[in-house]
Amino acid sequence: MYDSTTAGAPDEPKAPNLFVRIGQVFFSPGKLFEALRDRPVWLDVAILLIVLSAASQLLIPEERYREIFLSQMPPETDPADAERLMGFFRKWGIAFAIIWLPIAIAFVAGLLSLAYNVMMGGEARFRQLFSAVTHSFVILTAGGFVVLALILMGGEQAVISPALLFPDLGDGYLARLAYRVNVFAIWTSIVLGIAVSKMYPKRSAFGATVYLLVLYTIMIGLTVIPAG
């Protein structure tokens, strides 16, 4: 596959091809991000992720989509309002997936740039960070297809959470927060921590992972409505 983002002068280093990079995200992220530091390609994998995200919306049967969507709504939600909201997301789900993905990638890359360039005086380029985040989102997309497979087999999980191993957590705020934690988001944060350690050689993967996990916990915490 030709990727215009890899074209350049003959003496410029070349990034591995798309399929090699996808494998490296899972099995050798350190090696991948060392290559992306020198040649931060991203367009081909971004297009692939957009196509897969859009396709996943089409693969969920209408009735299963309704059941799962409504099961995630707070009990006090008016059924008519929940149905209207479900219809909106079902109708515009593909467009949302296409628009949301680059925005989410840019947002995470921006958070890394803010922390490590602005606050800590690092020098990584935004394109390098954007490339690293784009590749790390392969893991989130893979997690989405795991959830999709479970849905097609009759499951109702919106995310694969470690809390699923502990069914007696109750229904308090912290319990509902725990059920929103996505194993694949944790994995993505760890891989991005490795990316930071390669883009900023003086920074540790552990510190970056903690930073990302704290931000992730805050963001999902804002989506959990306290029991009223």
Side-chain angles (χ1 to χ4, degrees):
M1 171 181 286
Y2 175 77
D3 183 350
S4 61
T5 61
T6 65
D11 59 344
E12 289 183 338
K14 293 183 178 180
N17 69 53
L18 172 63
F19 301 106
V20 170
R21 280 181 274 133
I22 290 174
Q24 288 178 329
V25 170
F26 293 97
F27 301 110
S28 55
K31 183 176 181 180
L32 169 65
F33 294 124
E34 286 177 355
L36 294 179
R37 179 183 59 207
D38 298 325
R39 194 67 179 155
V41 298
W42 57 268
L43 182 60
D44 52 359
V45 72
I47 292 172
L48 176 63
L49 294 181
I50 288 172
V51 170
L52 291 176
S53 297
S56 68
Q57 298 291 320
L58 298 174
L59 292 174
I60 304 176
E62 181 76 26
E63 191 56 37
R64 292 292 298 131
Y65 187 94
R66 173 177 285 101
E67 292 174 5
I68 294 165
F69 186 91
L70 296 180
S71 71
Q72 302 301 314
M73 299 298 292
E76 63 272 16
T77 304
D78 182 88
D81 291 339
E83 284 284 346
R84 282 193 292 269
L85 191 60
M86 186 277 299
F88 174 83
F89 278 106
R90 182 63 169 174
K91 181 178 180 180
W92 297 103
I94 294 177
F96 180 74
I98 294 172
I99 295 170
W100 171 85
L101 185 65
I103 291 175
I105 291 171
F107 178 70
V108 176
L111 289 175
L112 291 174
S113 180
L114 175 65
Y116 289 93
N117 282 3
V118 177
M119 299 178 65
M120 300 184 188
E123 298 180 351
R125 290 173 291 145
F126 185 81
R127 182 176 176 179
Q128 292 173 309
L129 299 174
F130 192 90
S131 173
V133 177
T134 302
H135 284 79
S136 73
F137 269 42
V138 169
I139 295 171
L140 277 179
T141 303
F145 275 87
V146 172
V147 171
L148 175 62
L150 294 175
I151 288 172
L152 295 177
M153 290 188 294
E156 295 186 356
Q157 293 90 348
V159 296
I160 305 299
S161 169
L164 294 174
L165 299 174
F166 307 96
D168 299 324
L169 289 178
D171 191 41
Y173 177 81
L174 292 179
R176 284 181 286 123
L177 177 62
Y179 279 110
R180 291 288 185 94
V181 173
N182 188 338
V183 167
F184 289 91
I186 296 174
W187 187 355
T188 300
S189 297
I190 294 171
V191 168
L192 268 178
I194 296 172
V196 167
S197 72
K198 300 303 179 180
M199 303 299 172
Y200 304 93
K202 295 182 180 180
R203 304 300 173 186
S204 72
F206 177 78
T209 300
V210 171
Y211 168 65
L212 290 163
L213 288 176
V214 168
L215 292 177
Y216 170 66
T217 303
I218 292 172
M219 285 188 286
I220 62 171
L222 295 175
T223 69
V224 178
I225 302 175

